[in-house]
Amino acid sequence: MASAPSSVSPPHLPDTARELVKILVAGPFGVGKTTLIDSVSEITPLHTEERLTQASAHVDDLAGVREKSTTTVAIDFGRISLPGGVVLYLFGTPGQERFRELWEDISYGALGALVLVDSRRLGASFDVLELVEDSGLPYAVAVNAFPDSPRHHTDAQVRRALDLEADTPMVTCDARDAHSSIDALLALVDHLILREAR
């Protein structure tokens, strides 16, 4: 896996840090990107959240996320150290199409993306999946389990609805739960390692 040179770890990193990896946490509006980064970050996460206003009512579809009152307008940032000296720098990216140019800047240098989707609104994920695929970034999909998510969809049905390639990892996670979120990130890391080994 490609990484930044790290012969001596900076003081703000664990002494065991050997591989520094930039990962995007992508997904549509209201899918749980900020929540996932909050749940796993070992540092106080950076957020650029702003309150939703009437001005955004015609572009931010609140269907399925009526309780949402803020949105990320630039990035979320967090960090997590994994076993083996791998440190993931997590960049949460806005999911709305109007942030495409910002997304392209943030994605520069990333090794992969974890794409969060909401099974209640699978259609909202297509723009983000297109961005990730257009960039050529390898990715894994994490279906964020909301309390009112439909339970009758099988994994195969979700994969088909999202038109995922057979080798694209897909897991279910609860972005509020650190262990579940780490498992989703590990699915992506394993995918990146397998791709590099090929």
Side-chain angles (χ1 to χ4, degrees), residues 1-10 12-13 17-21 85 89:
M1 200 176 324
S3 62
S6 56
S7 56
V8 177
S9 295
H12 59 280
L13 284 172
R18 296 292 173 261
E19 298 246 13
L20 312 180
V21 181
Y89 287 104

Side-chain angles (χ1 to χ4, degrees), residues 25-39:
V25 178
F29 171 74
V31 77
K33 301 177 296 287
T34 300
T35 301
L36 184 138
I37 289 173
D38 277 347
S39 75

Side-chain angles (χ1 to χ4, degrees), residues 95 97 100 123-132:
E97 175 61 27
R100 177 180 280 266
S125 302
F126 295 143
D127 286 346
V128 176
L129 286 167
E130 183 179 342
L131 279 175
V132 174

Side-chain angles (χ1 to χ4, degrees), residues 68-181:
K68 188 161 177 60
S69 62
T70 62
T71 188
T72 300
V73 295
I75 64 167
D76 293 312
F77 175 77
R79 185 184 81 204
I80 180 171
S81 298
L82 299 176
V86 176
V87 177
L88 303 183
Y89 287 104
L90 305 175
F91 288 78
T93 63
Q96 298 96 310
E97 175 61 27
R98 69 183 182 274
F99 294 114
R100 177 180 280 266
E101 288 184 23
L102 175 64
W103 191 94
E104 289 170 353
D105 288 341
I106 293 169
S107 67
Y108 181 78
L111 290 188
L114 180 66
V115 179
L116 283 178
V117 301
D118 180 348
S119 62
R120 302 170 303 175
R121 332 176 268 130
L122 289 176
S125 302
F126 295 143
D127 286 346
V128 176
L129 286 167
E130 183 179 342
L131 279 175
V132 174
E133 290 172 354
D134 286 351
S135 73
L137 278 177
Y139 66 96
V141 170
V143 181
N144 193 8
F146 289 88
D148 60 342
S149 293
R151 306 286 183 221
H152 58 275
H153 295 321
T154 65
D155 286 354
Q157 287 171 323
V158 174
R159 291 184 74 85
R160 225 175 5 260
L162 294 174
D163 196 25
L164 298 180
E165 296 288 335
D167 65 342
T168 301
M170 189 184 84
V171 298
T172 300
C173 80
D174 180 341
R176 300 166 299 179
D177 179 75
H179 296 295
S180 182
S181 297

